[in-house]
Amino acid sequence: MCWSAEADLVAGVGIAAVGVACVRRVRRGRDLPLAALPLLLGVHQMVEAAVWASDGGSGPAPLAWTVMALPLLALWVPAGVLCAAPRSARRGPTVPLAVGVVTAAVLAYVLATRPVRAEIRGHTVGYVMDLPHAPVLTVGYLVATVGSLLLSGDRGLRVLGILAGAGALICWVLWRMEFVSTWCAFAAVCSVVLLGWVNARRAR
């Protein structure tokens, strides 16, 4: 989330460009899902630019944003980590992946059966949905995404996990205050860290 349509669009293009660089520099096929993550994040920002432009409400853009943010990332990140993890450390990301599969399935069911509405709140966008057992799903989501990175057995991915966890906390606090959305900045930082991770893998 960014603080305006223009910021989302600029951030999305920049993050997607980092994603293209990541994908082009990958040498191992198993690293491709994580290397492509900035591409997904960049498209995600561009979708939210469309949400801003339509002044919120319900429709394809808010639904697409929510699908990408919730079930897709809950599955993509731990699956990508498991693919990239060294053989000696693959037991670590297995549990987060299992949690991610369950969490993504529940979130996908909710999004398929209940409406999603976006609300413009000053310099933030709020996505309103009837989410059952929200605290449990939030924990499952964090275990799947941040937890998989921390248990990856890879130093670069552990750094990314720490950044993602800290970024999520800071962004949540600022969003709750309805001050400004800053996730696009953290997505950009995480994407640059992923580019560094890809370059390090390429060098090895």
Side-chain angles (χ1 to χ4, degrees), residues 28-35 37 73-101 143-154 157 197 201:
R28 291 197 327 154
R30 297 181 66 91
D31 295 340
L32 188 58
L34 274 183
L37 182 58
L73 278 179
L75 195 56
W76 187 304
V77 174
V81 170
L82 185 62
C83 286
R87 291 182 180 178
S88 59
R90 284 181 188 165
R91 296 182 71 181
T94 301
V95 172
L97 176 58
V99 173
V101 169
V143 168
T145 53
V146 177
S148 63
L149 292 167
L150 295 176
L151 296 174
S152 64
D154 183 284
L157 295 182
W197 174 78
R201 305 275 276 196

Side-chain angles (χ1 to χ4, degrees), residues 2 25 53 58 63 67 81-82 85 93 101 124 128 134 137 144 163:
C2 269
R25 297 186 68 80
S58 57
L63 180 59
V67 168
V81 170
L82 185 62
V101 169
T124 67
V128 182
L137 288 173
L163 283 174

Side-chain angles (χ1 to χ4, degrees), residues 3-22:
W3 52 88
S4 69
E6 295 79 9
D8 261 315
L9 188 58
V10 170
V13 171
I15 293 168
V18 174
V20 171
C22 287

Side-chain angles (χ1 to χ4, degrees), residues 26-184:
V26 163
R27 282 196 169 181
R28 291 197 327 154
R30 297 181 66 91
D31 295 340
L32 188 58
L34 274 183
L37 182 58
L39 272 175
L40 175 63
L41 296 177
V43 172
H44 195 220
Q45 299 295 155
M46 295 180 209
V47 169
E48 190 167 72
V51 175
W52 280 103
S54 62
D55 201 28
S58 57
L63 180 59
W65 188 95
T66 312
V67 168
M68 295 171 74
L70 297 179
L72 185 55
L73 278 179
L75 195 56
W76 187 304
V77 174
V81 170
L82 185 62
C83 286
R87 291 182 180 178
S88 59
R90 284 181 188 165
R91 296 182 71 181
T94 301
V95 172
L97 176 58
V99 173
V101 169
V102 174
T103 302
V106 174
L107 291 170
Y109 175 78
V110 170
L111 293 177
T113 57
R114 304 182 187 190
V116 177
R117 186 178 76 257
E119 297 179 350
I120 306 300
R121 304 169 183 171
H123 294 292
T124 67
V125 179
Y127 294 86
V128 182
M129 68 196 80
D130 183 15
L131 195 62
H133 311 295
V136 176
L137 288 173
T138 300
V139 171
Y141 186 90
L142 291 174
V143 168
T145 53
V146 177
S148 63
L149 292 167
L150 295 176
L151 296 174
S152 64
D154 183 284
R155 182 180 178 183
L157 295 182
R158 282 197 296 266
V159 170
L160 181 61
I162 293 169
L163 283 174
L169 178 60
I170 293 170
C171 290
W172 178 80
V173 170
L174 293 175
W175 178 83
R176 290 288 293 178
M177 294 168 61
E178 296 187 3
F179 173 61
V180 68
S181 293
T182 53
W183 180 247
C184 57

